[in-house]
Amino acid sequence: MSSNPICAPATPLLPSAVALVRVSGVGLANALAPLLVLPEPRLASLRTLHWDGFRERALVLFFPGPASYTGEDVVEFQLHGNPRLVRRLLGHLATLGVRLAEPGEFTRRALLNGKQDLLATEALRDLIAAETDTQIRLAQARAGAQPDWIAKARGALAPWMARAEAAVDYGEDEGISLNLNDLMLELAPLRARFHVEQARARAARHLRDGLKLALVGRPNAGKSTLFNALAGEDRAIVTEIPGTTRDVLEVRCEWRGLPLRLFDTAGLRDTEDLVERLGMARVGPVLEAADLVLHLWPAQDPGLDPVIRDALAPFAGKTLEIRTFADVAAAPGVAIAAHLGDLDALEAALKDRLLGGLAPDACLGALATDRQGALLDDLAGQLDLLAGLPPGCPPELPASLLQGAWGLLARLTGEDRAESALDALFSGFCLGK
Ligand SMILES: Nc1nc2c(ncn2[C@@H]2O[C@H](COP(=O)(O)OP(=O)(O)OP(=O)(O)O)[C@@H](O)[C@H]2O)c(=O)[nH]1
Ligand SMILES: [Mg+2]
């Protein structure tokens, strides 16, 4: 990729107090010379910029490379937040040979110049997209240092890779052999750590993406009451008339550290009411799309209506039974009384089911994207295969598994420089990032 100068607004093109325009490239002092003399590095300086009849007083910051975000020279202009003025400045920069950046191009350069790794880059994207406090905290934790287990894994794998290679290359002639027993003994803590990280990553992925929860059950089961209690606001109409909710209602919220997308649905029953039937027809697609179906079943109901049993049967694997009206009758399992705020059992059940019993804070620093999770699974799989090798197998087998694990670590951190992964990543970035 070339390092010709690029520019972009780093703030939205909307009327605002201040707009930030960023420029990055090698040798910016020359490129920008017609516009200004660059100020002292890292000191905010007021400059008057003249172009096309404009006379803009802007605060200018200069970060000489390589000690900058991208690793190149970076100049930031803070000007008045008029979108038209910002576009005019960008247009003028183009005449100086500073083209408009592609989405994520600043960060792409930071990555290619070794200023940050792929994990940090993905964390940055998540930080900008995060919608809840938990999601922000998780992304921030990932944007910092690389997880410690990556360096540990490299340290543990490297000597064994060397030994395995030596056994492959010189084994028979020189009498060098690989002791699989010793290898697995030494790599056992790493393998265990991978399994721990897999569990953390699964939980972190749920937190990152938010959980789609469908609330279903018979009319008057307390679905809308729970919907409102979790959302922390009075969004759905609640009455004691069965069949109150007809349309699907959706709300995004964070409840007790869990980012949720909740769907309230029409109560399911055999009915002649046309509107109610239309409402019930909308429940199926919600069940399909849900990560987890919460089946609300009043504690006083002895059995299940066949309509509900049939509707939920295809989703048995992702259904959680919740007994509502716990204040009215006793029932085994997860029992709640949402209108009283008695929801601790639900919190425990959700965290158990979705986070494997981990607290949201225990996921800080865990891998979280689909890409990362898949590579971690492959990595753990590689060591599981190693552990399953029969004694006396040819050294080529462990050697290739160790090499494979090494390569997966490089893919994880982006050191393999795979362009396809980068293209997919940066298409999700905003312009000035
Ligand atoms: N005692 C008690 N009453 C509840 C509980 N949950 C809901 N209710 C009451 O039960 C009635 C029905 O509650 P909703 O939340 O509207 O029930 P729904 O499942 O949304 O009903 P539909 O929209 O008709 O399908 C309301 O009067 C609620 O106040 C509970 O746990 N205990
Ligand atoms: Mg309702």
Side-chain angles (χ1 to χ4, degrees):
M1 199 169 86
S2 75
S3 59
N4 54 12
I6 51 170
C7 63
T11 45
L13 284 172
L14 294 170
S16 52
V18 177
L20 185 70
V21 171
R22 263 183 172 176
V23 182
S24 176
V26 174
L28 283 189
N30 283 339
L32 299 180
L35 190 63
L36 81 167
V37 174
L38 290 184
E40 287 283 296
R42 288 176 293 281
L43 285 181
S45 311
L46 209 51
R47 287 280 195 275
T48 305
L49 310 176
H50 297 271
W51 83 95
D52 294 350
F54 298 114
R55 190 180 171 283
E56 173 67 358
R57 295 271 281 168
L59 207 56
V60 183
L61 276 154
F62 172 41
F63 304 94
S68 68
Y69 180 67
T70 58
E72 305 169 341
D73 286 351
V74 170
V75 173
E76 291 186 1
F77 297 99
Q78 294 182 21
L79 50 154
H80 294 96
N82 179 313
R84 188 177 180 88
L85 179 68
V86 171
R87 284 199 196 90
R88 287 284 182 261
L89 178 60
L90 297 171
H92 181 64
L93 287 170
T95 67
L96 304 181
V98 182
R99 69 168 168 81
L100 196 61
E102 311 274 339
E105 196 170 355
F106 286 85
T107 305
R108 191 170 190 137
R109 289 184 176 192
L111 185 67
L112 295 178
N113 290 329
K115 300 299 292 186
Q116 60 188 44
D117 70 2
L118 191 53
L119 295 173
T121 305
E122 287 170 318
L124 216 63
R125 177 198 54 191
D126 287 356
L127 177 59
I128 290 168
E131 290 180 352
T132 74
D133 291 352
T134 299
Q135 289 172 337
I136 290 176
R137 279 195 282 272
L138 284 169
Q140 284 175 331
R142 285 167 42 221
Q146 226 172 48
D148 67 321
W149 60 264
I150 292 183
K152 283 190 182 138
R154 288 202 167 111
L157 291 174
W160 285 105
M161 275 170 63
R163 277 172 217 153
E165 290 302 319
V168 169
D169 291 347
Y170 308 109
E172 283 184 6
D173 306 339
E174 315 273 334
I176 299 175
S177 66
L178 190 69
N179 186 329
L180 270 185
N181 229 354
D182 288 353
L183 182 154
M184 271 337 292
L185 220 56
E186 245 185 70
L187 293 189
L190 184 61
R191 188 168 164 232
R193 180 68 189 266
F194 282 168
H195 291 159
V196 169
E197 291 301 329
Q198 277 181 297
R200 282 184 358 115
R202 270 193 298 274
R205 233 183 310 171
H206 279 309
L207 293 173
R208 170 183 178 267
D209 298 339
L211 311 161
K212 279 193 213 147
L213 293 189
L215 310 187
V216 294
R218 70 153 165 87
N220 270 1
K223 299 179 293 299
S224 300
T225 304
L226 178 61
F227 183 79
N228 289 342
L230 297 181
E233 56 179 314
D234 205 11
R235 281 288 302 275
I237 297 172
V238 170
T239 72
E240 63 282 310
I241 304 165
T244 302
T245 307
R246 275 94 187 279
D247 285 317
V248 176
L249 299 180
E250 182 186 348
V251 72
R252 286 169 188 252
C253 61
E254 180 163 310
W255 181 69
R256 301 195 185 178
L258 295 172
L260 302 177
R261 274 178 75 184
L262 299 172
F263 296 85
D264 187 17
T265 62
L268 301 175
R269 66 168 165 179
D270 212 355
T271 173
E272 295 303 315
D273 183 302
L274 176 65
V275 183
E276 221 181 318
R277 289 174 77 103
L278 289 172
M280 284 168 55
R282 296 182 177 203
V283 179
V286 175
L287 295 176
E288 294 278 352
D291 294 316
L292 189 64
V293 174
L294 297 188
H295 170 211
L296 274 54
W297 180 3
Q300 67 274 27
D301 289 8
L304 276 187
D305 187 327
V307 174
I308 293 186
R309 199 167 339 117
D310 294 349
L312 291 181
F315 308 103
K318 60 172 183 181
T319 300
L320 193 61
E321 302 280 5
I322 308 288
R323 306 308 298 265
T324 50
F325 289 78
D327 54 319
V328 172
V334 184
I336 62 167
H339 68 309
L340 301 175
D342 175 2
L343 294 168
D344 291 351
L346 176 63
E347 179 186 355
L350 282 180
K351 287 186 175 165
D352 186 50
R353 181 83 179 225
L354 297 162
L355 306 184
L358 293 172
D361 275 358
C363 301
L364 288 174
L367 300 182
T369 70
D370 288 348
R371 185 194 78 86
Q372 297 168 0
L375 286 173
L376 180 58
D377 288 345
D378 290 349
L379 205 48
Q382 213 76 359
L383 284 211
D384 291 345
L385 285 175
L386 255 181
L389 287 178
C393 74
E396 280 80 2
L397 286 177
S400 92
L401 288 172
L402 289 164
Q403 282 285 355
W406 190 263
L408 287 165
L409 284 170
R411 277 171 68 190
L412 195 59
T413 58
E415 279 151 80
D416 69 335
R417 295 277 187 271
E419 286 290 325
S420 55
L422 301 192
D423 287 339
L425 171 64
F426 289 111
S427 62
F429 264 80
C430 15
L431 199 58
K433 195 66 200 171

